[in-house]
Amino acid sequence: MPRLVLTVIGDDRAGLVSALADVVTAHDGNWEDSQLAELAGKFAGIVVVGVPAGRVDELTAALGELDGLLEVAAHPGADPAVVADDADAKRLTIDLLGNDSPGIVREVSSVLSRHELSIETMTTGTREAPMAGGLLFEAHVVVRVPGGSDAAALRADLERLATELLVDIAVA
């Protein structure tokens, strides 16, 4: 069954997920995976749905009818048989906390890119710093580390970056 990756965004309000799920179900689609969140008054996310091959165009057209409620873009997903997962790959979790400043995501993602690591999930946010004032930036990142990667070099680069940015970085 073909898979579609849907990107969705709209003004946050009750009933958005229900409206999207109704359209998917009405076209014999199966909601497989999603990450959805309210951000700055907008509801945004990514949803993976499986849909019978003969109904892809019909579903895509029906998703366009949610305009005004949700803006939805449908992208063809990769065939699961083609998506090869490195059998030797491991997952690494990186947690970061420190004073908020521009460029933190750029710096961390640059280190990960230099080590050819793929980000599987990344959650970031800011919160008030207790008693000190200002904002704290926090990030939780899960990366896929291919077999043969130099984990010690990665840890050293992240520790060096933590010192430069004056943040705490924990790698597990």
Side-chain angles (χ1 to χ4, degrees), residues 47-122:
V47 180
V48 177
V49 297
V51 62
R55 308 231 30 210
V56 170
D57 292 338
E58 187 182 317
L59 171 60
T60 302
L63 291 169
E65 295 172 14
L66 289 172
D67 201 20
L69 185 62
L70 278 173
E71 295 175 30
V72 182
H75 310 274
D79 181 344
V82 175
V83 179
D85 194 13
D86 183 350
D88 296 329
K90 294 181 175 42
R91 303 301 183 268
L92 195 65
T93 301
I94 301 164
D95 289 303
L96 179 145
L97 179 65
N99 289 327
D100 187 31
S101 63
I104 294 174
V105 171
R106 177 179 49 95
E107 295 295 335
V108 171
S109 62
S110 292
V111 168
L112 299 176
S113 178
R114 279 195 303 275
H115 287 272
E116 298 182 0
L117 304 182
S118 179
I119 295 173
E120 289 191 345
T121 63
M122 182 169 84

Side-chain angles (χ1 to χ4, degrees), residues 15-41:
L16 296 178
V17 173
S18 179
L20 181 60
D22 286 347
V23 172
V24 170
T25 301
H27 294 86
D28 299 324
N30 181 40
W31 190 296
E32 295 180 7
D33 197 7
S34 62
Q35 292 186 16
L36 307 163
E38 181 276 327
L39 299 165

